[in-house]
Amino acid sequence: MQSSPSAGDRPAAGARAASAATDRLRESDFGRDVSFLLARANALSVAAGNAALADLGLKVRSFSVLALAAGDVRPTQRDLSEFLRLDPSQVVALVDQLEKRGLVARTPDPADRRANVVVATDEGRALHARAVRAARAAERDLHGDVSEDERTILIGLLARIAYPG
């Protein structure tokens, strides 16, 4: 006589069933669709990045703004919006949050006084350095099966898709 599964066995059985379903779906035509794979990889990357950055009070989007502000490019909010493919209102909210924390400042653009550039403060650059280490560790964990040579090829291919022309 078989015993019914105990409550402790159900999550494991449920996880195995979900894994089997994922395996079947992965083998479908759609499971090999380039756009789907890019979207799925992005979702996994964002989730891992958000988890890695949480202790620093950042998410992937706010980290992206801080990273660009910490560089030498001195982007305007419009530049950030276009480059990150975010609605301008989203960029304003992200910059507002970072500015309230003292991590970035809006300063007049010397090339166009009607516009502001977003620059990291000293505190922002220090947090950025810590965040880069956390994000890179999460990336290594997520992409652990990808060799350095494959990573270089992947970056090249993604760059061709992300920056056409």
Side-chain angles (χ1 to χ4, degrees):
M1 182 193 294
Q2 283 187 320
S3 63
S4 63
S6 69
D9 293 336
R10 285 188 198 123
R16 280 192 302 274
S19 176
T22 298
D23 289 345
R24 287 191 317 274
L25 293 170
R26 180 182 5 202
E27 298 306 319
S28 71
D29 288 343
F30 187 69
R32 312 266 322 147
D33 180 83
V34 172
S35 294
F36 166 73
L37 290 169
L38 286 168
R40 182 172 167 84
N42 180 64
L44 292 169
S45 183
V46 167
N50 284 342
L53 296 167
D55 288 345
L56 301 173
L58 296 171
K59 290 189 174 187
V60 169
R61 283 186 174 182
S62 55
F63 170 69
S64 299
V65 171
L66 180 60
L68 293 166
D72 296 330
V73 177
R74 300 177 57 87
T76 65
Q77 290 180 174
R78 177 174 288 168
D79 295 335
L80 292 169
S81 174
E82 290 173 6
F83 186 74
L84 297 173
R85 308 289 294 170
L86 297 174
D87 187 86
S89 64
Q90 293 173 303
V91 171
V92 168
L94 290 166
V95 173
D96 285 348
Q97 292 168 4
L98 293 169
E99 192 172 43
K100 284 179 187 168
R101 292 181 59 190
L103 302 173
V104 301
R106 291 174 170 103
T107 61
D109 183 350
D112 180 359
R113 295 205 173 174
R114 296 169 294 169
N116 286 321
V117 294
V118 181
V119 296
T121 63
D122 290 341
E123 185 178 346
R125 280 188 287 283
L127 182 65
H128 171 255
R130 291 174 46 214
V132 166
R133 288 190 295 275
R136 295 266 159 76
E139 185 178 287
R140 279 191 306 274
D141 289 345
L142 183 63
H143 306 154
D145 291 341
V146 178
S147 73
E148 280 303 311
D149 288 343
E150 291 170 325
R151 185 177 188 280
T152 300
I153 292 167
L154 180 61
I155 289 170
L157 293 171
L158 290 173
R160 284 174 45 196
I161 294 169
Y163 311 117

